Amino acid sequence: MHYVKVKGILSAEGGINLYRGCLHGCIYCDSRSKCYHMEHDFTDIEIKENAIELLEQALRRRRRKCMIGTGAMTDPYLPLEMEIGNVRKALELIEQYGFGVTVHTKSDRVLRDIDLLQKINQKTKAVVQMTLTTYNEELCKKIEPNVSTTSERFAALKEFRTAGIPTVVWLSPILPFLNDMKENISGILEMCREAEVYGVICFGMGLTLREGNREYFYAQLDRLFPGIKERYIRMYGNQYVISSPKNEELMQLFYDMCERYKIVHNNEQIFEYLHKFEDKAENAQLSLWDL
């Protein structure tokens, strides 16, 4: 790992990334793409040493409260977070200044901060987004080797349900010839039903590949699943969007099960929910006027 000083930490849309790079080792990671101009080795984690100071300045200056999001580019709950604690420090500031938050992760380390997320959720809104890729634990350990397993993430989702903190699942990516099976989709959605997630985001049954992450993905396919890379090359060439041959039937299964379980599955509706700031104290006050 290495430290850098940055000029800003909070985007106009309310996004923060406290780290750059990752150690989770997911074979399909889009953040490896060259278009993101990461000038250091992907596993050499960049720590923004003045991030917390800049975040407090930014939150103090903001006139309107909003949802703050983290995890879009780098999972905030890397192993080193348990030592450095920048995510927890950021959540403390978000709670102190009355903002809402959504965190996106594949790690059950997020449970460390369930107390802060509850405090934020009592005043405004805190949402935990969790990516689920495969129902098969052994496959999970291959394609996402250094992350909490699917069962561990599922257990975390249920803990957040019990704590009253809303959750959203990303059903992504679906890798052709590896996890594009009905049993996988139905297994994940059964988990979502039991965990009572608010919604499931899915952009189709497939993944995206571009320069940087394509080469890494193919190298891992050669290592873990001999012969699969050649099938990708024959079928997709250098396409950016890689859609499963079973996309239509799997998407229909996805829609049918979400409808049956009353899980929100309209991506626009979910994103609107994630970005909408709610002042629960103000709403409670307005409700009193209705009495």
Side-chain angles (χ1 to χ4, degrees):
M1 65 182 183
H2 64 280
Y3 289 83
V4 298
K5 284 198 172 184
V6 293
K7 294 181 179 179
I9 193 66
L10 184 63
S11 73
E13 295 76 27
I16 57 174
N17 278 296
L18 299 167
Y19 307 114
R20 289 194 80 197
C22 192
L23 295 170
H24 284 167
C26 302
I27 69 172
Y28 50 75
C29 183
D30 177 69
S31 293
R32 290 180 178 273
S33 300
K34 288 189 176 180
C35 63
Y36 298 121
H37 304 292
M38 195 170 294
E39 305 301 331
H40 56 88
D41 185 85
F42 193 68
T43 58
D44 179 16
I45 308 303
E46 180 178 286
I47 302 168
K48 301 173 183 179
E49 61 179 309
N50 57 335
I52 301 304
E53 176 187 350
L54 291 177
L55 179 61
E56 180 163 23
Q57 294 171 5
L59 294 179
R60 191 187 299 126
R61 286 196 304 266
R62 284 235 170 178
R63 293 186 178 182
R64 297 186 63 181
K65 299 290 192 293
C66 66
M67 294 291 289
I68 306 296
T70 187
M73 282 296 297
T74 297
D75 195 312
Y77 288 96
L78 300 173
L80 56 77
E81 163 57 23
M82 307 309 279
E83 301 173 20
I84 295 170
N86 274 354
V87 175
R88 186 163 181 87
K89 293 171 188 173
L91 290 175
E92 288 171 342
L93 289 174
I94 290 167
E95 192 273 333
Q96 177 185 338
Y97 286 95
F99 286 76
V101 72
T102 177
V103 296
H104 189 174
T105 184
K106 293 178 187 170
S107 175
D108 64 0
R109 296 185 190 94
V110 64
L111 289 169
R112 180 202 63 183
D113 295 329
I114 195 169
D115 59 331
L116 276 172
L117 293 167
Q118 278 184 304
K119 286 182 180 179
I120 295 169
N121 197 53
Q122 286 166 2
K123 292 196 292 187
T124 60
K125 184 167 67 182
V127 185
V128 174
Q129 301 179 67
M130 190 78 76
T131 297
L132 296 180
T133 303
T134 176
Y135 183 72
N136 183 310
E137 288 285 285
E138 292 308 310
L139 182 60
C140 175
K141 291 173 184 176
K142 287 185 176 182
I143 66 176
E144 302 163 335
N146 304 321
V147 191
S148 300
T149 65
T150 301
S151 61
E152 290 168 341
R153 284 177 249 175
F154 175 44
L157 287 169
K158 290 191 289 184
E159 287 202 44
F160 286 115
R161 175 201 63 196
T162 301
I165 296 169
T167 56
V168 166
V169 161
W170 286 67
L171 181 57
S172 167
I174 301 301
L175 311 176
F177 320 125
L178 293 177
N179 66 339
D180 57 341
M181 299 166 290
K182 288 184 177 181
E183 296 80 8
N184 186 48
I185 305 306
S186 60
I188 291 174
L189 292 177
E190 286 288 351
M191 288 180 169
C192 293
R193 176 195 61 79
E194 187 174 340
E196 298 178 13
V197 305
Y198 169 83
V200 177
I201 293 172
C202 179
F203 288 99
M205 301 297 166
L207 74 158
T208 58
L209 291 177
R210 48 188 162 188
E211 187 180 6
N213 80 313
R214 178 186 290 108
E215 291 78 5
Y216 184 81
F217 179 62
Y218 281 171
Q220 299 311 306
L221 288 183
D222 270 343
R223 183 174 65 88
L224 298 166
F225 310 101
I228 296 294
K229 181 186 76 173
E230 286 70 24
R231 296 182 69 181
Y232 272 77
I233 292 171
R234 284 197 303 270
M235 181 169 288
Y236 304 110
N238 287 325
Q239 287 178 210
Y240 169 56
V241 178
I242 308 299
S243 184
S244 166
K246 303 176 185 176
N247 178 69
E248 190 172 331
E249 62 178 299
L250 293 179
M251 285 304 295
Q252 190 59 57
L253 174 65
F254 169 74
Y255 294 137
D256 290 344
M257 291 189 70
C258 286
E259 289 286 341
R260 189 185 323 141
Y261 295 153
K262 295 181 171 54
I263 297 172
V264 178
H265 54 283
N266 180 297
N267 291 341
E268 288 187 12
Q269 183 179 347
I270 297 171
F271 284 124
E272 182 179 347
Y273 171 75
L274 292 172
H275 286 99
K276 184 178 180 182
F277 175 79
E278 298 176 15
D279 189 332
K280 292 181 179 177
E282 182 178 304
N283 290 342
Q285 194 172 32
L286 289 173
S287 297
L288 287 174
W289 285 104
D290 295 333
L291 296 176

